Amino acid sequence: QDAEFKRTKCPLGRPYNYNYDLFNTLKENRLTNITFFTAYSARSAGNMFAVLRCELVDWATQEGFSVLGVSTPLDVIYSHFSHEQDKILELSLAGRAPGCYYRDIIEPCERALLASGQDTLPLNHPVEILGQSWTYEKVLRLELQLERGHAERFKGSPDKESLARFSLSALDCSLVSLLFLDDNPEYIRQVKAAARDCGVAHVHCVHVTESLGPRNYVPKALSARAKCVVC
């Protein structure tokens, strides 16, 4: 029991109830290249009341997975945001791939929260963003600016469908085999719609529930083809 507890504690020392059956099944099928595709924001990263994605990434890495990134819905509009001009541009910026908003903005908030030893991150707490000292309040102001910018440009709130379209836009979808796992049926509907419209060659979405057995996480026909799992 002690050995199992140590194995399931993330490297940062805070235990969390991850879906171990899911991760074990992925490893058994040699599906170790994963992308976390998550409805997550800097607001969510400012408290300890849910799993921090940096902890999940650290834990998965320790368990032998290669985490390709943490993609969030604000990646879409963030690809148009210029820090130098402090505004949203018409054209997207080079190098702003899915996962950049988490890497640049959200993860520094998570690390600042963990380093603070507090349950919540105060608004005036310093956060290092791209080599500059911000406050957490400034991060939240940027996030609100991006959410409003997304609504104005794309006529809707950021969601996983727009993120999926953005993620697939740079790929030859005729060669893509996608395994998408989520516990929210609405997110599955959104990703299915994006995959269909983008012409993904092979797509399988799994609604993860407590009653779903581990054998049903990965269909045999897809496990031989899929090179990346999104969850």
Side-chain angles (χ1 to χ4, degrees):
Q1 184 177 4
D2 290 342
E4 178 67 8
F5 177 74
K6 290 178 182 177
R7 188 187 72 80
T8 57
K9 282 186 71 175
C10 65
L12 292 170
R14 192 166 72 105
Y16 193 82
N17 185 27
Y18 301 135
N19 188 334
Y20 303 117
D21 286 340
L22 169 58
F23 285 104
N24 288 338
T25 302
L26 294 178
K27 279 204 291 189
E28 289 170 3
N29 285 272
R30 299 182 180 180
L31 296 172
T32 54
N33 293 329
I34 57 176
T35 296
F36 292 116
F37 201 79
T38 178
Y40 192 57
S41 65
R43 281 194 301 275
S44 308
N47 66 77
M48 297 285 282
F49 305 124
V51 59
L52 301 179
R53 299 309 186 268
C54 69
E55 293 181 303
L56 178 57
V57 170
D58 287 348
W59 175 83
T61 300
Q62 177 179 270
E63 290 295 300
F65 290 92
S66 176
V67 180
L68 306 180
V70 179
S71 299
T72 63
L74 281 175
D75 275 323
V76 182
I77 194 66
Y78 184 62
S79 69
H80 293 266
F81 181 77
S82 167
H83 283 278
E84 291 75 15
Q85 301 179 52
D86 191 28
K87 69 177 184 179
I88 297 170
L89 306 179
E90 184 64 28
L91 300 177
S92 60
L93 300 174
R96 286 286 176 82
C100 283
Y101 185 69
Y102 174 80
R103 181 198 66 197
D104 294 351
I105 306 299
I106 299 178
E107 184 179 6
C109 296
E110 294 178 319
R111 301 293 182 185
L113 172 64
L114 289 167
S116 74
Q118 302 180 70
D119 288 336
T120 58
L121 198 61
L123 291 176
N124 63 352
H125 197 282
V127 180
E128 184 173 335
I129 301 294
L130 298 172
Q132 298 184 354
S133 182
W134 289 27
T135 62
Y136 183 48
E137 183 177 20
K138 183 176 179 179
V139 171
L140 296 182
R141 287 201 304 268
L142 168 63
E143 190 156 274
L144 181 59
Q145 180 183 354
L146 292 175
E147 289 171 344
R148 289 172 174 171
H150 189 286
E152 292 172 4
R153 176 163 299 196
F154 301 109
K155 310 305 179 187
S157 300
D159 60 15
K160 288 194 176 182
E161 183 170 349
S162 61
L163 175 57
R165 294 180 190 278
F166 177 56
S167 301
L168 293 168
S169 63
L171 304 176
D172 181 352
C173 290
S174 66
L175 303 176
V176 171
S177 293
L178 173 66
L179 173 59
F180 178 74
L181 304 108
D182 208 300
D183 60 1
N184 188 322
E186 173 57 21
Y187 292 155
I188 289 176
R189 184 200 66 76
Q190 292 175 11
V191 170
K192 275 185 175 179
R196 180 192 63 239
D197 293 347
C198 292
V200 172
H202 304 287
V203 59
H204 190 88
C205 294
V206 178
H207 180 205
V208 178
T209 64
E210 291 184 2
S211 60
L212 182 69
R215 292 183 179 181
N216 296 317
Y217 286 136
V218 181
K220 291 182 179 179
L222 189 65
S223 64
R225 293 191 298 259
K227 294 181 179 179
C228 178
V229 179
V230 178
C231 50

